């Protein structure tokens, strides 16, 4: 296992990764205060090579993980040995494992591994729900930011459940597009095709075929990451 690199106050060793500065966990906290918080909680940075495990299924959840560089996958293996992708993270500043930090569970149900060479910041979970001895002035904002992140994740999962409840793939797609239509009949997909397929619980080829059929039927048009709803009434009929 690689050696951890701790954040230091000594300017000659001062280091702050840009992914930390852009992470929503540290929103509205000045850079110097972020470093003080990381020092206070003894946050540490870990480097991984491709296919290295970040944590194993059954490990005890003791940290919140912040992706600094690279790509990480959270997976679970079926009894037959098939790997099921639960979530993937590739943007610097993404958090993973944070839900377990506040669950009364003694072990992870999943494992996390590096898809590419990666760097991850480990933040002890106890720092988020205990007052530190140094009485950091921005500790409260950090905790509030985490609550907002968890609340949004709960909302996201609730929305996903609504989409997955569709009886057919077409129903799921219609529900997704109608939900994200802001009134101009254009939906900018924040996910790529593979991520959207995973979100809807289908295969990527199945999603692409259904998109193409709906385009041929004049229901939608697709250009790059933008879906234009051409027949909103018919799309609503698919949803209902």
């Amino acid at each position: 296992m690689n050696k951890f690199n701790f954040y230091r106050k000594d300017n000659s060793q001062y280091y702050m990764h840009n992914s930390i500065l852009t992470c929503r966990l540290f929103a509205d906290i000045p850079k110097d205060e972020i470093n003080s918080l990381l020092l206070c909680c003894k946050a540490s940075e870990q480097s991984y090579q491709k296919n290295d495990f970040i944590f194993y299924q059954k490990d005890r959840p003791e940290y919140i993980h912040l992706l600094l560089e690279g790509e990480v996958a959270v997976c679970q293996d079926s009894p037959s040995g098939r790997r099921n992708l639960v979530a993937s993270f590739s943007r610097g500043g993404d958090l993973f494992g944070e839900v377990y930090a506040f669950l009364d569970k003694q072990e992870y149900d999943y494992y996390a591994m590096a898809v590419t060479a990666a760097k991850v910041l480990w933040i002890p979970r106890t720092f988020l729900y205990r007052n530190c001895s140094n009485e950091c002035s921005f500790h409260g904002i950090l905790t509030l930011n985490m609550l907002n992140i968890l609340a949004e994740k709960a909302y996201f999962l609730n929305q996903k459940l609504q989409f997955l409840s569709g009886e057919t793939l077409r129903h799921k797609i219609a529900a997704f597009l109608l939900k994200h239509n802001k009134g101009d009949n254009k939906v900018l997909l924040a996910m790529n095709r593979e991520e959207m397929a995973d979100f809807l619980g289908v295969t990527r080829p199945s999603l692409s075929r259904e998109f193409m059929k709906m385009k041929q039927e004049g229901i939608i048009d697709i250009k790059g990451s933008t879906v234009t709803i051409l027949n909103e009434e018919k799309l609503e009929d698919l949803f209902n």
Side-chain angles (χ1 to χ4, degrees), residues 113-182:
M113 63 183 300
V115 178
T116 64
K119 291 183 178 180
V120 177
L121 183 69
W122 290 41
I123 304 173
R125 66 175 187 169
T126 54
F127 189 69
L128 273 297
Y129 53 82
R130 292 180 184 173
N131 291 326
C132 64
S133 58
N134 294 331
E135 297 183 354
C136 299
S137 58
F138 288 88
H139 195 156
I141 295 178
L142 185 78
T143 303
L144 181 59
N145 287 342
M146 176 55 72
L147 290 174
N148 287 332
I149 291 170
L150 293 174
E152 288 192 5
K153 176 160 286 191
Y155 177 78
F156 172 83
L157 293 175
N158 181 63
Q159 294 296 307
K160 181 175 181 178
L161 183 61
Q162 292 184 33
F163 298 136
L164 292 178
S165 65
E167 295 180 358
T168 66
L169 175 53
R170 222 169 237 228
H171 186 283
K172 294 176 182 180
I173 293 174
F176 183 91
L177 294 178
L178 290 170
K179 179 67 178 179
H180 291 87
N181 181 16
K182 302 302 182 183

Side-chain angles (χ1 to χ4, degrees), residues 12-48:
S12 64
Q13 303 179 64
Y14 184 91
Y15 173 73
M16 180 66 68
H17 201 285
N18 187 60
S19 294
I20 296 173
L21 299 177
T22 58
C23 179
R24 292 182 54 221
L25 181 62
F26 301 106
D28 301 321
I29 302 179
K31 180 177 178 179
D32 290 342
E33 292 293 340
I34 294 174
N35 195 68
S36 296
L37 287 168
L38 296 177
L39 280 166
C40 184
C41 72
K42 296 182 173 60
S44 51
E45 183 184 307
Q46 178 83 16
S47 297
Y48 300 90

